[in-house]
Amino acid sequence: EKRGLALRYSGLGPLFRVEATVAGATTGTEAPVVVVGYVTGFTVPFLRYVHFDEMRVLNGELRRVAAAREREREASQQAVSGGPDPDPGRPASSGLGPVAGAFGTGLLMGMYAMCRLRDAGCETAELLAIRDNDYQHAKLVRYYERMGFARVREVASASASATDQEQSPWWVDLGDQLVWGGAGTLMRASVGDVIAQWTKAFK
């Protein structure tokens, strides 16, 4: 709550979705709820396994909400003091907390999903760092490694300009593409280890 985010988990059978929302700037008597990110995937209970399909942070929405809150804070201060805020760095007087950044939002969603999935019996998590282009792919891999995932192998390696050592047999690539639907780096983590790694950061 102090990070300005509300998280909601919903599931239908093995499918799940975690959604992050924030309260936008107040309009009238209520602040609208704005979706700023989501995580989707499915579980395989008998394997104690979770497959993350997508983790997306809507950076544009985060920026818009932050800007709207700042405008509201300035307007509130001017209404109270009758002039511009002499100390623009002070906490907002509107009661709206700060909005988490992109990494913080993704991490909070991922950790919340991990905790719910651990409670459902999942022990191993996998995801694909998509290779849309080399620059973005490298950023994604570093992002997930920071979260606690480790590289397993390249998916669709022949089309991703991988080295001979990174390339998988064609039948492995075929299976991977059927499961993941794209090219990139397959990454894996222990659900319990990721939670233990980040628990202190959220206390």
Side-chain angles (χ1 to χ4, degrees):
E1 185 176 338
K2 67 182 180 181
R3 290 173 172 82
L5 286 171
L7 299 168
R8 184 172 66 91
Y9 179 97
S10 58
L12 180 62
L15 305 177
F16 69 88
R17 178 184 176 94
V18 170
E19 200 168 76
T21 61
V22 298
T26 304
T27 56
T29 59
E30 295 185 356
V33 174
V34 181
V35 176
V36 294
Y38 58 88
V39 177
T40 62
F42 64 85
T43 63
V44 184
F46 71 92
L47 294 177
R48 299 182 177 275
Y49 168 85
V50 56
H51 169 121
F52 285 104
D53 272 328
E54 187 174 13
M55 178 186 292
R56 185 174 295 275
V57 177
L58 306 178
N59 292 311
E61 294 296 335
L62 282 173
R63 287 192 293 268
R64 278 189 285 274
V65 170
R69 287 186 177 187
E70 178 60 20
R71 289 193 298 271
E72 181 174 311
R73 187 191 70 80
E74 291 175 352
S76 177
Q77 176 61 32
Q78 290 186 30
V80 171
S81 65
D85 187 354
D87 182 9
R90 78 175 68 181
S93 58
S94 64
L96 293 173
V99 182
F103 180 76
T105 299
L107 181 59
L108 280 165
M109 291 192 300
M111 281 293 296
Y112 181 67
M114 289 282 200
C115 289
R116 293 295 300 262
L117 294 163
R118 177 197 58 186
D119 294 344
C122 294
E123 297 178 354
T124 301
E126 287 187 342
L127 55 78
L128 186 72
I130 293 291
R131 187 189 294 272
D132 288 329
N133 58 68
D134 289 342
Y135 174 74
Q136 188 63 27
H137 172 253
K139 284 183 64 177
L140 278 176
V141 170
R142 289 194 300 270
Y143 180 93
Y144 292 129
E145 285 180 330
R146 186 177 172 190
M147 285 186 70
F149 284 79
R151 305 183 199 201
V152 177
R153 63 176 176 272
E154 296 301 308
V155 173
S157 53
S159 62
S161 301
T163 65
D164 290 340
Q165 290 76 18
E166 292 174 321
Q167 290 187 15
S168 301
W170 68 267
W171 59 88
V172 174
D173 262 352
L174 178 60
D176 282 341
Q177 290 186 68
L178 290 174
V179 171
W180 295 101
T185 301
L186 177 61
M187 307 188 73
R188 181 181 298 150
S190 160
V191 172
D193 287 350
V194 172
I195 293 172
Q197 175 181 332
W198 289 99
T199 294
K200 291 183 179 178
F202 296 108
K203 287 186 176 180

